[in-house]
Every structure is written in structure tokens, then in C-alpha cells.
Amino acid sequence: AGASVTPHPENERISVVRFRAETPGTVELEVIARDAVDPSLTARSSIVIEALAPSRFARPGVRLRELADTRDFLIGYASTPNFHRRADGGLYEAIAAEEFNMVTAENSMKWDTLNPEPGLYRWAEADNLVAHARAGDMLVHGHTLVWYAQLPAWLKERPPETLEGHMREHIDRVLNRYADRVPVWDVVNEALDESGNLRRSIWLDAMGPGYIDTAFRQARASAPGATLLYNEYDIGFAGPKAD
């Protein structure tokens, strides 16, 4: 009773059922799927959900953010994309704002998300994350401008001699859009392989090792006041990358 069924905003094969449990406890949903051509063909299933009381979400003790702020320390998290579309999006957003004073874009600022087709930029996910951060007084850590992965297909098909121009334009567009709202950026991400050598990528193949320098110089020109970072993993212990 009182449930709504709406199309998923990104996948037409999915419908979203929303309802509010009147009291805490077990809720069992009976699902019946009928064939559109022959209604006599059906499939049945049941889904059991445990609805919790609001008090179950109360967290004891001092918030992480409060402890960090007293020490002038940044403590952050990587925000899942499209959290505002989740059924528990309000809870996700409230906990994030209470516990953290910094947020990193997990996927919403990567190239394939922002610029899936030539000349087409989709800013909504990144804009929503930045708005969420501003509402919660959180610093935004932009991630990432130049990476070997999560590149749109059209970019990987471009002639090598054009890649520097595409890189420079992308960096400039993104940094100028968020110039006054995102003060920290991962400019180049994971450029080393497991042996500590430069990782093979479209950037290395097209521009040589200097692509890293080019990316940082363009980022500095586009965002003179930003903190510019190189991001890497497996460098917190001895090994080829740390060396």
C-alpha cells in the first residue's frame, strides 16, 4: 500500500519500487512477473526486507569530523556516484556530512563519465557531488584528470598526434568549471606499473614520458591556485614503486 513504481533514470530495463514501512520489522514482498505477450506465462519470487527503526542508525560517540577539525586534519571518503538516486541517499548524505570534512570523487569526475562522446560533456554527477560538499562544508578532492583507464572509446581511437591537444583541452575545461569549488586535484593517476616503470598507456605511447610534465603544466596554467597531486597505489611499503 502506498508504493510507487518508477522507471530507473539510467536503465530502461529496471523499474524502481519505493515504499515506506509503517513500523520496524520484517517486510515480505511478493513479486509476480507476467509476459507482455502471453499473460499466462508468469514467474513468482519473494523478497524479504528487514525495516529498522531510526534509532538503529544512531552512532554513539564523537563524530570523526569533529575529532579531525580539532586537530586541523582532513578526513575524507570516496563518494559513490549518484548517491542522491539511492533509496537510502538521504541517509548516505547525512552520515557523510556528519563524519567527514573532505570528499573525493570516486567516478563522477573521470573522463569517460564527464566526456563520453566528442564534444559532449555531462556535468550532472560531478555538479551534484560538488553541491553536496558545499552544503556540508566539505573540501572537494578532484579525481582524476589523466589516467590510463576509464577513458571514453572515442578518445582511444584518436590519432596519437592529437592526444596532447585532447588532454590539454580536457584539463582546461574541467579545472575552469570547478575553479572556485575544487581546490585539490589528482592530475596524473597511477602512471607506474608493478615493476616501478612507466605504465604503457595511450599517453605514454603518444607523448612519451613527458606527458606527465605536460599534464601538470597545463593544470597549473588552468588552475594557478590549486593543489596539484600525483596519485599512486602500493607505495606505502618497500618495493619498486616506492623506490
Side-chain angles (χ1 to χ4, degrees), residues 17 19 26-31 44-50:
V17 179
F19 70 95
T26 300
V27 179
E28 187 169 1
L29 304 180
E30 294 295 332
V31 181
R44 294 174 177 267
S45 182
S46 62
I47 302 169
V48 177
I49 299 172
E50 187 69 21

Side-chain angles (χ1 to χ4, degrees), residues 168-235:
R168 288 182 177 275
E169 180 185 10
H170 179 76
I171 292 172
D172 191 58
R173 275 180 181 254
V174 175
L175 292 189
N176 272 284
R177 183 176 184 85
Y178 298 112
D180 61 338
R181 295 174 290 172
V182 183
V184 181
W185 283 94
D186 290 336
V187 178
V188 177
N189 191 49
E190 300 174 0
L192 301 178
D193 62 21
E194 303 308 318
S195 64
N197 297 315
L198 287 176
R199 183 188 298 274
R200 285 293 301 274
S201 68
I202 65 170
W203 310 115
L204 184 66
D205 291 346
M207 301 165 61
Y211 85 86
I212 298 174
D213 190 60
T214 298
F216 272 94
R217 289 182 181 275
Q218 180 60 59
R220 176 54 70 225
S222 300
T227 297
L228 306 180
L229 305 177
Y230 171 75
N231 188 58
E232 189 58 82
Y233 67 95
D234 282 356
I235 57 172

Side-chain angles (χ1 to χ4, degrees), residues 118-141:
L120 173 65
Y121 275 80
R122 292 178 173 167
W123 303 105
E125 279 191 43
D127 284 354
N128 283 330
L129 177 63
V130 171
H132 155 64
R134 298 191 81 177
D137 194 24
M138 288 182 281
L139 180 147
V140 182
H141 170 205

